Amino acid sequence: MRLVIARCSVDYAGRLTAHLPSAPRLILVKADGSVSIHADDRAYKPLNWMSPPCTLKEGADDTAGVWTVVNKAGEKLIITMEEILHDSSHELGVDPGLIKDGVEAHLQELLADRIETLGEGYTLIRREYFTAIGPVDILCRDADGQTVAVELKRRGDIDGVEQLTRYLELLNRDPHLAPVKGIFAAQEIKPQARVLATDRGIGCVVLDYDALRGIEDDKLRLF
C-alpha cells in the first residue's frame, strides 16, 4: 500500500463530474490498483475513489504534477498535486480476512444449510465466496437461476450495506455470474440500513436465529 499526503485538487470525469478544491488530503494506492482520496473526517469513507481494475499514470515531477487514474469504462480521476508532504509504501501481505464472532459465523453456517429460508427454489453455490476485496458470506441462486450475494450480520447497519454494495459492484463484472443481486440478512436491521438497501435494489431479510437452529420461540405471540 502506498500512502501519499499532499495538497491537491481532484476532478472526476465519468457518468457525472465532481470537483474537490485544493486542500491537504490522504491518497491511498492499494495493491489491487484502487485509488481513494481521504480527508481528516468522514470516518473511513473516501471523498472520491476509483475501483479496480484501473491504471495510474503519474506526472514527471516528483513534487508536483498530475496523476490520472482511468478505469476500464474510461472514467477518469485527475489529481492535481501542488505539494507532496509525505510519500511511503508498505507491503502488508495477504490479509487473513475478518474473523466473525460465534453467532455471526453460526448464522452463516445455518443459513447455508437452510438456504430456502431466503425463498423457495434458492440453491447454494458456496459459503465464503472469495473476491479481490474479501469473501462474500454466501453466494447462491434464486428460483430463476439468478446469482445472489448474501451479506450476513447480527445487527445490520449502513456499513454492512456499503460492504455488500462493493461486493456487488465487483461480482457484476464477472460475466459468469452477472447479473448479481444482493440480500442483506441480519437478526436486526436498522431503519437507515433498510432505507439505503432498498434505494440500491438490495433485498433485506430478518433472520430468526432460534428458528434456524430448529428451536421454537417460547415467547407469547399475538399472531
Side-chain angles (χ1 to χ4, degrees):
M1 179 181 292
R2 183 179 177 187
L3 309 176
V4 179
I5 299 175
R7 179 173 291 278
C8 62
S9 60
V10 184
D11 292 277
Y12 172 82
R15 289 167 293 181
L16 48 80
T17 59
H19 174 72
L20 294 171
S22 175
R25 296 189 176 92
L26 168 65
I27 304 167
L28 296 183
V29 183
K30 294 187 179 181
D32 64 3
S34 64
V35 179
S36 56
I37 317 295
H38 297 261
D40 201 12
D41 61 5
R42 296 168 59 98
Y44 66 90
K45 190 173 182 179
L47 297 167
N48 214 326
W49 68 93
M50 192 69 81
S51 301
C54 56
T55 58
L56 167 62
K57 182 178 180 181
E58 299 183 35
D61 193 337
D62 290 334
T63 59
V66 176
W67 288 16
T68 304
V69 188
V70 184
N71 66 12
K72 65 177 184 179
E75 299 168 318
K76 293 183 179 181
L77 193 64
I78 301 168
I79 308 169
T80 303
M81 301 289 191
E82 298 171 15
E83 180 184 9
I84 294 179
L85 306 172
H86 174 86
D87 189 347
S88 64
S89 297
H90 308 270
E91 180 59 52
L92 302 185
V94 178
D95 191 90
L98 179 68
I99 299 175
K100 300 178 182 293
D101 66 40
V103 173
E104 198 167 302
H106 197 207
L107 269 174
Q108 182 192 108
E109 180 183 348
L110 289 169
L111 185 58
D113 190 49
R114 298 163 176 79
I115 199 67
E116 67 279 359
T117 302
L118 299 177
E120 186 178 351
Y122 271 68
T123 56
L124 179 69
I125 296 176
R126 65 167 296 169
R127 292 170 53 197
E128 298 287 331
Y129 184 87
F130 182 78
T131 76
I133 58 175
V136 176
D137 286 330
I138 292 177
L139 199 69
C140 56
R141 296 193 190 279
D142 66 13
D144 298 321
Q146 184 175 354
T147 309
V148 183
V150 183
E151 179 62 27
L152 278 167
K153 301 292 182 187
R154 277 202 300 165
R155 285 181 290 275
D157 56 21
I158 285 177
D159 288 351
V161 179
E162 294 283 6
Q163 183 180 357
L164 179 54
T165 299
R166 293 192 292 272
Y167 287 144
L168 290 171
E169 181 182 352
L170 193 63
L171 291 170
N172 272 300
R173 296 175 186 170
D174 186 338
H176 299 292
L177 297 175
V180 184
K181 65 181 181 181
I183 291 180
F184 189 50
Q187 290 178 274
E188 173 191 353
I189 299 177
K190 294 183 178 179
Q192 300 93 331
R194 186 180 291 275
V195 169
L196 181 61
T198 301
D199 182 67
R200 295 182 176 179
I202 294 171
C204 292
V205 174
V206 176
L207 299 173
D208 186 325
Y209 185 48
D210 287 340
L212 282 173
R213 290 191 298 169
I215 300 174
E216 292 186 359
D217 190 344
D218 59 359
K219 294 180 182 178
L220 294 176
R221 297 181 183 270
L222 293 176
F223 54 90

